[in-house]
Amino acid sequence: MREILGRRRRLLSRRNDGRPELISAALTFATEWQWPVLPGVAPDPQGRARCGCPDPECTVPGAHPFDPGLLAATTDERMVRWWWTNRPTAPIVLATGGRAPCAVSLPALAASRALAALDRKGMRLGPVVAAPHRWAILVAPYSMEQLGELLYAKDFVPGSLRFHGEGGYLALPPSETGHGGIRWGRAPLPGSASPWVPDVEAVVDAVVDALTRTGVSAPEF
């Protein structure tokens, strides 16, 4: 119990100014949950809605890797500690797929209503990452072939659904990006291992059904 509470405090630890401690969260993800992470590019100090990367039209400011690139993502404690010691405000970016969770994301309003519908059905969900514009439901790793078969078998899949699989990425709490802060829509429960996540089939089936039944409009952004 003491070890579990220690992990929980570490994930939620805060700095003297009340803001969550990014290095503590990054170390929890990498070393305790074995999720490969790396620092994201920071928002442009000249305007937080802009990105610090060279792309002036970047659509995910501060919420993606740049230097280092995605392939540098690691679970090595020394590397993670070095990165966030030198870049203490860098967003935490998860490299999805492989042994790490993947994700299914959809616009925030549609996501909140879909999750409420799933709660009423009693469906078990794992962690949900909530960004200002989109929420991402973490799911078990899947292959592109598996995803292709799943989508092909469906009569209708909302175009606003996005899939973060092998070779993808996702900003994790408590990162600050150009669009705002990243938080937990559903926080992971404390435990001795990586949080449980559902299969992608169950999530896609349930989300599509919930969106259809509730008549939620899910705009593509």
Side-chain angles (χ1 to χ4, degrees):
M1 177 61 72
R2 183 178 302 172
E3 182 180 3
I4 292 174
L5 291 176
R7 286 190 175 95
R8 182 69 169 176
R9 283 195 298 269
R10 193 168 156 193
L11 183 59
L12 299 177
S13 63
R14 293 179 175 272
R15 308 179 337 177
N16 290 335
D17 61 5
R19 293 178 57 192
E21 188 70 70
L22 286 161
I23 189 171
S24 296
L27 286 169
T28 295
F29 299 141
T31 65
E32 296 179 7
W33 297 356
Q34 292 298 294
W35 292 2
V37 298
L38 75 164
V41 61
D44 189 330
Q46 301 300 317
R48 291 195 58 82
R50 295 163 49 190
C51 190
C53 74
D55 181 5
E57 305 298 326
C58 181
T59 58
V60 284
H64 67 91
F66 174 64
D67 183 17
L70 186 62
L71 292 178
T74 184
T75 59
D76 182 75
E77 178 178 0
R78 291 174 298 177
M79 191 73 247
V80 171
R81 193 178 295 278
W82 185 85
W83 274 333
W84 271 275
T85 297
N86 288 278
R87 298 168 60 179
T89 62
I92 304 170
V93 175
L94 167 70
T96 55
R99 292 181 298 174
C102 295
V104 177
S105 72
L106 63 162
L109 178 59
S112 64
R113 293 180 179 175
L115 262 59
L118 300 186
D119 285 342
R120 290 192 293 270
K121 292 177 59 176
M123 180 177 174
R124 182 187 180 193
L125 291 176
V128 176
V129 176
H133 298 315
R134 297 186 69 85
W135 289 20
I137 303 171
L138 298 189
V139 298
Y142 57 78
S143 67
M144 293 305 295
E145 292 77 13
Q146 180 184 4
L147 179 63
E149 291 176 3
L150 170 64
L151 299 181
Y152 181 77
K154 292 207 159 295
D155 295 328
F156 168 73
V157 176
S160 58
L161 286 185
R162 295 178 187 166
F163 300 90
H164 309 256
E166 184 76 32
Y169 59 85
L170 186 70
L172 294 175
S175 302
E176 288 288 334
T177 73
H179 287 157
I182 309 293
R183 61 180 179 83
W184 293 114
R186 298 289 171 86
L189 297 176
S192 58
S194 179
W196 176 86
V197 291
D199 291 334
V200 66
E201 293 94 339
V203 168
V204 171
D205 287 346
V207 167
V208 170
D209 181 66
L211 293 178
T212 303
R213 288 180 180 274
T214 57
V216 174
S217 175
E220 297 196 33
F221 62 85

